[in-house]
Amino acid sequence: MSAHDTPQQIQHDAAEGLEQILHRKEPLKPKERMAIPMQKMPTQDPQIRRDNMQEVAMGYFPEQAKLESMRCLQCKTAPCVKGCPVGIDIPGFLAAAAEGDFQRSIGIIKQSSLLPQVCGRVCPQETQCQEHCTVGKSLKDVNQAVSIGRVERYVADWEREHGVQAPSVKAPTGKRVAVVGSGPASITVAADVRREGHEVTMFEAFHKPGGVLLYGIPEFRLPKAIVQKEVESLQAMGVEIKTNFVIGRTRKLLDLMKKDGYDAIFIGTGAGLPKFMNIEGENLVGVFSANEYLTRSNLMRAYDRERADTPIFKSKKVAVLGGGNVAMDSARTAVRLGADEVHLVYRRTEVEMPARVEEVAHAKEEGVIFHILENAKRIQGNEYGLVTGMECVRYELGEPDASGRRRPVEIPNSEFMIEVDTVIVAIGNESNPLIRQTTPGLDVNKWGNITVNDDGKTSLPGVFAGGDIVLGAATVILAMGEGRRAAASINQMLSTN
Amino acid sequence: MHKIILKKQLSADVYMLKVYAPLIAEERSPGQFIILQLDSDFGERIPLTIADADTEQGTITLIFQVVGKTTTRLAALNEGDAIANLVGPLGKPTHIEKFGHVVCVGGGIGVAPLHPIVQGMKKAGNRLTVIMGARNKELLILEDEMRALADELILCTDDGSYGRKGLVTAPLKELCEQTPPPDLAVAIGPPIMMKFCAETTRPYHVHTVVSLNTIMVDGTGMCGGCRVTVGDETKFVCVDGPEFDGHLVDFDNMMQRLKSYKTQEQEAPHPCKLNQQIENMNR
Ligand SMILES: Cc1cc2nc3c(=O)[nH]c(=O)nc-3n(C[C@H](O)[C@H](O)[C@H](O)COP(=O)(O)OP(=O)(O)OC[C@H]3O[C@@H](n4cnc5c(N)ncnc54)[C@H](O)[C@@H]3O)c2cc1C
Ligand SMILES: Cc1cc2nc3c(=O)[nH]c(=O)nc-3n(C[C@H](O)[C@H](O)[C@H](O)COP(=O)(O)OP(=O)(O)OC[C@H]3O[C@@H](n4cnc5c(N)ncnc54)[C@H](O)[C@@H]3O)c2cc1C
Ligand code: SF4
Ligand code: SF4
Ligand code: FES
């Protein structure tokens, strides 16, 4: 583990580097661009951040944003754009940022993405845009690619700090659209549909809008104030938000059309049904789904033990099962809630971990203990039903499976116990059945995800869907992209009848 | 915001509220519940059964016992005050049809959730025997309401201050011993009571429905905090229930899970009636 670079040091280095370049008259040659060191993200010191909920990655300094943008070679074919699910003009916004024209830069991003402050922070860039970057390829390390996401975040934050105007809204059309859920897919649909002058009502089951951005992804990775701003900007456009409203219970989906007169519906209810492993001891006291643990901490603010009424388990030794972002978020939340030891148990190796590389690195810096090629077999409890330990078994990598990943196989007789009082299960989410159970005629696939055509249309007329409820647990940017597509077809439908 | 239209104290620590919530009043069925929260930022979300509803007034009736922080704060609200967040109706409605002879057993505050079920069963044309139990006379609630619905009403108190002295399981057993035995039993109350009701009916093969009051967060199937073991399966009370076959529920596991935050909530600086509640459970 390398020593922590202080933000001051990082800024100092960047300022010096930029100074040298700005003295030059001729444009930078590709070789020179490649020689600019990749800009590190300034972060809170791991020793300090273990005890607070504030954002870990503090964002680039302006000098860094410019320098990092200068690393872009402006490739004619722009392979990076193909890796971005919404096809942002990446060389375009980087060129503007390199010139220091952050206003133009964010304008270019916003033509394709509605949530750059969020995506710049949480996109798995190393498997999307940055995976294809020529710079990373030439340096033979994807982690040396142009830090597209960090620059995206910088210019988006810059815009927020300099005041964003609410997008203009066309004259009222008299058409009404119901948007179910308030995650990134729904936020996108609400904005895109409202812009065309249609009335939009958003229905959210929880008492606050934002979806996973609010209750799942922790403050230390995505400040809630950012999500709040996105929601406020919807309200400024005239979107009505009804919280505490469960579609399928408070109102049946199709009653929104039949009884309440909505002309179209978008379903963006996410993948909110936690999977468990079906092993012995899973219902003992101290075993939680990541959803429960994170919701208690994030939405219900249980981390603020002084003020919050919602309790959260006080743990000494925690095991988290899984290797995705949800697992990292749970482990790092447990660290912040004061656990002495946090173990992360994952069946495959670090290469296969679906979590963002940065989150894995941050988790390690914060002292999370990684157990790779291990899996839980059984959870042990005492006479009060409290967790006392977890039996694990070791794995090795066997033949590649259909997905091309080498399949982990159990090593016989390799069982061993670890002593823990808390187990957090973060092995994924399935789709919530509430709407499909209460909506006859709505087609779903064998995993319970709503099936849609290329325009985001479901099997029911006037009903559209997108995001995790269609894709299965996916990403923010994919949810946003699906939202855009569905909004376009809703607008199309409403303009022709 | 949901305005409190009417407030009544039913017994020492049991209150009744009529709350304005027209959509929920319209959609709700017996067996369903709401989740409420008094403060959006730091408040806890707690589930309460919809004890009754009035679609004309647009109100729902909640009956709750003061046991901890949120119920204490709720009891301090008055007519005209508002509840910040109220969501529902949640859970699956009770399966109501004409079964024949239905025995409904309510213990303590469990009489409140039982009330709409008794109403529904009556409407469906069942013969109803209602057994109500409490520690003493002062703690019996909804006696008049139940008397109006039941074909036979049996009251029990632990101390014999009213009705029969003893536990609700005694008359339940007698009813099971009759020929023919009841066609269905519904038992709602402290988990320990539901457990023993299920044990009472088991030898007589009287199907017994119980309504579980686990800890909840979202109430929509998202968190899994409400999970219970039913038969060999894990079920989520908020979406698969709250009612289950009492002969299959693992009550011991459920009772342990209910105490998950026991020590933490005891540490919190509020007038917690936890000890009393545990005493109730274990009596
Ligand atoms: C802990 C965690 C960390 C993650 N980290 C990342 C990351 O780093 N990068 C990334 O790209 N992705 C990440 N994801 C995934 C990403 O958050 C999701 O893919 C994305 O939020 C899906 O958006 P959505 O709009 O489909 O639904 P969601 O964000 O799930 O929102 C759905 C909303 O609908 C509401 N709802 C559900 N049912 C109903 C109903 N019947 N009536 C009314 N409302 C309803 C829910 O309460 C919820 O608010 C993470 C997910 C989690 C859980
Ligand atoms: C579907 C459902 C319907 C319910 N209906 C009613 C009702 O109609 N009337 C009513 O009075 N209560 C009902 N309950 C129980 C009610 O939700 C709890 O009493 C309430 O959550 C306690 O909140 P508190 O903040 O006052 O207490 P807390 O401070 O949270 O807890 C105090 C003590 O109560 C225990 N406790 C916490 N949650 C529950 C719970 N869900 N059930 C039992 N004990 C709990 C805690 O472990 C603690 O020991 C219902 C519960 C469920 C799940
Ligand atoms: S939205 Fe995500 S994938 Fe697209 S450019 Fe930005 S960081 Fe890359
Ligand atoms: S691939 Fe990399 S270097 Fe090329 S245009 Fe995209 S970001 Fe710039
Ligand atoms: S309360 Fe969260 S799943 Fe039931």
Side-chain angles (χ1 to χ4, degrees):
Chain A
M1 202 190 301
S2 59
H4 179 71
D5 296 293
T6 64
Q8 291 79 3
Q9 188 60 45
I10 290 176
Q11 184 175 27
H12 177 260
D13 292 350
E16 271 193 349
L18 191 62
E19 189 65 20
Q20 282 171 17
I21 292 174
L22 292 182
H23 278 308
R24 297 172 38 119
K25 297 240 159 53
E26 299 98 72
L28 289 168
K29 296 197 190 73
K31 261 230 164 85
E32 292 167 315
R33 292 183 184 277
M34 302 250 297
I36 300 173
M38 191 194 72
Q39 295 301 301
K40 284 192 181 137
M41 175 59 87
T43 56
Q44 274 196 71
D45 186 319
Q47 289 314 314
I48 293 170
R49 70 183 194 236
R50 280 181 58 108
D51 295 322
N52 69 47
M53 278 288 162
Q54 278 137 41
E55 196 171 13
V56 168
M58 299 156 84
Y60 274 168
F61 292 102
E63 297 87 345
Q64 286 187 285
K66 286 183 204 159
L67 268 182
E68 189 63 28
S69 304
M70 288 173 187
R71 295 181 68 225
C72 169
L73 306 175
Q74 298 290 317
C75 314
K76 283 221 171 57
T77 53
C80 51
V81 176
K82 285 195 283 292
C84 171
V86 297
I88 292 178
D89 173 6
I90 294 168
F93 92 75
L94 289 174
E99 287 166 25
D101 190 347
F102 300 134
Q103 185 78 60
R104 186 159 62 86
S105 183
I106 185 65
I108 295 170
I109 294 175
K110 283 197 150 178
Q111 285 166 13
S112 315
S113 172
L114 265 180
L115 299 168
Q117 291 185 68
V118 177
C119 295
R121 285 175 166 80
V122 306
C123 260
Q125 287 97 1
E126 63 277 357
T127 61
Q128 296 184 350
C129 51
Q130 290 170 202
E131 183 180 15
H132 303 276
C133 174
T134 315
V135 174
K137 292 238 152 95
S138 316
L139 296 172
K140 298 200 170 40
D141 181 0
V142 65
N143 298 317
Q144 291 293 319
V146 177
S147 305
I148 301 166
R150 290 173 179 177
V151 178
E152 179 176 330
R153 167 184 167 168
Y154 177 82
V155 294
D157 285 353
W158 179 91
E159 187 195 34
R160 184 189 67 224
E161 281 153 24
H162 289 76
V164 195
Q165 326 113 303
S168 59
V169 171
K170 291 192 185 155
T173 60
K175 299 276 167 59
R176 300 171 68 220
V177 178
V179 174
V180 185
S182 63
S186 299
I187 291 177
T188 307
V189 172
D192 279 359
V193 169
R194 178 71 194 122
R195 237 191 290 240
E196 291 304 306
H198 309 306
E199 243 179 70
V200 176
T201 313
M202 185 180 246
F203 297 93
E204 167 56 45
F206 266 128
H207 53 278
K208 283 184 185 169
V212 168
L213 306 184
L214 195 72
Y215 70 72
I217 306 179
E219 177 80 19
F220 56 80
R221 221 154 55 80
L222 178 65
K224 300 306 153 217
I226 289 176
V227 183
Q228 177 70 26
K229 270 262 153 82
E230 296 295 348
V231 169
E232 281 167 13
S233 113
L234 285 183
Q235 285 168 319
M237 290 170 74
V239 172
E240 187 191 3
I241 303 181
K242 289 197 175 168
T243 50
N244 299 309
F245 206 111
V246 184
I247 299 300
R249 288 276 186 243
T250 313
R251 218 28 161 191
K252 302 275 182 300
L253 188 84
L254 293 179
D255 283 347
L256 290 173
M257 286 170 152
K258 283 188 215 136
K259 291 191 183 165
D260 303 329
Y262 285 97
D263 300 290
I265 301 175
F266 174 78
I267 309 173
T269 48
L273 188 80
K275 278 194 214 165
F276 285 91
M277 317 219 324
N278 297 317
I279 57 174
E280 187 188 326
E282 213 157 42
N283 291 345
L284 288 167
V285 178
V287 184
F288 303 94
S289 75
N291 285 359
E292 180 181 359
Y293 196 72
L294 291 171
T295 300
R296 282 179 182 274
S297 179
N298 298 331
L299 180 73
M300 308 309 293
R301 308 227 206 158
Y303 65 83
D304 192 342
R305 294 196 200 264
E306 291 286 302
R307 289 195 286 174
D309 291 344
T310 302
I312 194 157
F313 213 61
K314 280 189 187 152
S315 314
K316 291 203 168 66
K317 294 187 181 179
V318 180
V320 177
L321 309 179
N325 288 317
V326 185
M328 297 305 148
D329 286 345
S330 306
R332 298 172 68 199
T333 296
V335 166
R336 284 162 175 76
L337 289 170
D340 300 333
E341 260 176 39
V342 179
H343 301 264
L344 187 120
V345 178
Y346 183 56
R347 217 153 57 101
R348 303 176 189 249
T349 70
E350 205 176 308
V351 187
E352 284 93 11
M353 280 191 176
R356 298 179 73 229
V357 168
E358 189 175 80
E359 312 310 332
V360 174
H362 284 165
K364 285 186 176 167
E365 286 167 16
E366 290 162 13
V368 174
I369 305 157
F370 279 57
H371 299 245
I372 54 163
L373 288 169
E374 287 177 17
N375 201 5
K377 218 169 172 184
R378 184 172 68 85
I379 302 165
Q380 200 180 47
N382 63 14
E383 73 264 39
Y384 306 108
L386 296 165
V387 172
T388 54
M390 186 168 82
E391 187 178 64
C392 294
V393 61
R394 286 186 227 283
Y395 277 65
E396 60 191 355
L397 288 182
E399 296 300 311
D401 63 12
S403 71
R405 299 196 294 183
R406 289 180 65 194
R407 209 167 55 84
V409 282
E410 196 176 310
I411 304 176
N413 304 319
S414 64
E415 286 83 357
F416 64 102
M417 288 293 301
I418 55 175
E419 191 195 310
V420 290
D421 54 29
T422 307
V423 177
I424 302 172
V425 184
I427 58 166
N429 281 305
E430 287 167 359
S431 68
N432 190 310
L434 199 56
I435 288 191
R436 71 169 191 261
Q437 282 170 355
T438 52
T439 312
L442 185 66
D443 286 354
V444 298
N445 66 16
K446 64 174 172 180
W447 297 283
N449 297 318
I450 298 177
T451 45
V452 296
N453 71 2
D454 288 345
D455 300 325
K457 282 191 184 129
T458 69
S459 55
L460 292 169
V463 180
F464 299 75
D468 281 4
I469 187 65
V470 167
L471 299 169
T475 60
V476 174
I477 187 72
L478 282 170
M480 203 216 74
E482 291 240 308
R484 284 236 117 149
R485 199 177 59 170
S489 46
I490 292 172
N491 288 334
Q492 164 75 22
M493 181 187 90
L494 294 181
S495 70
T496 52
N497 64 14
Chain B
M1 294 292 248
H2 299 268
K3 211 172 190 171
I4 298 173
I5 308 294
L6 185 77
K7 176 184 178 182
K8 251 200 219 163
Q9 185 161 9
L10 301 187
S11 78
D13 52 6
V14 175
Y15 293 82
M16 188 270 279
L17 297 178
K18 267 196 183 182
V19 182
Y20 186 68
L23 270 180
I24 302 177
E26 187 185 324
E27 293 279 334
R28 71 98 205 190
S29 302
Q32 291 188 300
F33 62 96
I34 53 94
I35 285 188
L36 66 77
Q37 188 193 26
L38 297 175
D39 154 52
S40 301
D41 284 325
F42 295 103
E44 187 175 17
R45 295 167 59 97
I46 67 159
L48 294 174
T49 306
I50 304 167
D52 204 349
D54 182 334
T55 43
E56 262 160 49
Q57 276 192 335
T59 58
I60 57 170
T61 302
L62 306 175
I63 298 178
F64 64 96
Q65 181 168 20
V66 175
V67 296
K69 191 159 187 176
T70 306
T71 44
T72 303
R73 280 178 63 189
L74 189 62
L77 296 182
N78 289 308
E79 288 170 11
D81 291 344
I83 294 171
N85 298 304
L86 192 67
V87 58
L90 301 171
K92 287 195 175 145
T94 309
H95 174 75
I96 287 179
E97 61 171 64
K98 186 164 178 186
F99 294 97
H101 180 203
V102 179
V103 182
C104 293
V105 190
I109 186 72
V111 174
L114 194 63
H115 180 245
I117 300 174
V118 173
Q119 280 178 324
M121 290 292 180
K122 175 86 187 172
K123 231 187 189 165
N126 289 288
R127 180 157 78 84
L128 282 166
T129 304
V130 176
I131 307 174
M132 284 168 53
R135 264 178 300 144
N136 59 48
K137 182 170 193 277
E138 273 62 55
L139 298 176
L140 269 180
I141 55 168
L142 301 181
E143 183 188 339
D144 296 343
E145 286 81 350
M146 286 297 192
R147 196 175 295 284
L149 292 165
D151 294 289
E152 188 190 2
L153 181 70
I154 303 171
L155 301 169
C156 307
T157 51
D158 291 10
D159 62 356
S161 54
Y162 196 53
R164 290 174 58 159
K165 180 173 166 40
L167 303 176
V168 290
T169 43
L172 180 62
K173 185 161 195 287
E174 289 158 20
L175 288 164
C176 288
E177 279 164 351
Q178 289 175 2
T179 29
D183 298 292
L184 177 75
V186 182
I188 309 184
I192 192 78
M193 180 210 99
M194 292 191 278
K195 175 180 167 171
F196 283 109
C197 286
E199 287 318 314
T200 304
T201 57
R202 192 190 300 275
Y204 305 95
H205 308 288
V206 175
H207 184 61
T208 301
V209 173
V210 295
S211 177
L212 305 183
N213 54 341
T214 51
I215 291 175
M216 293 191 176
V217 183
D218 57 305
T220 61
M222 192 278 285
C223 76
C226 62
R227 66 195 192 280
V228 286
T229 313
V230 180
D232 293 330
E233 287 176 89
T234 291
K235 296 278 184 190
F236 289 5
V237 172
C238 68
V239 284
D240 301 323
E243 290 165 15
F244 295 96
D245 179 346
H247 294 151
L248 297 178
V249 172
D250 181 346
F251 283 103
D252 295 334
N253 176 246
M254 180 195 153
M255 286 186 265
Q256 287 169 336
R257 289 184 59 80
L258 266 176
K259 292 185 208 152
S260 295
Y261 298 100
K262 195 182 81 184
T263 43
Q264 295 182 4
E265 266 159 339
Q266 266 175 324
E267 280 169 24
H270 61 75
C272 187
K273 303 221 169 146
L274 169 87
N275 292 331
Q276 186 189 324
Q277 203 193 16
I278 291 180
E279 215 173 88
N280 280 352
M281 282 180 172
N282 295 334
R283 78 200 149 111

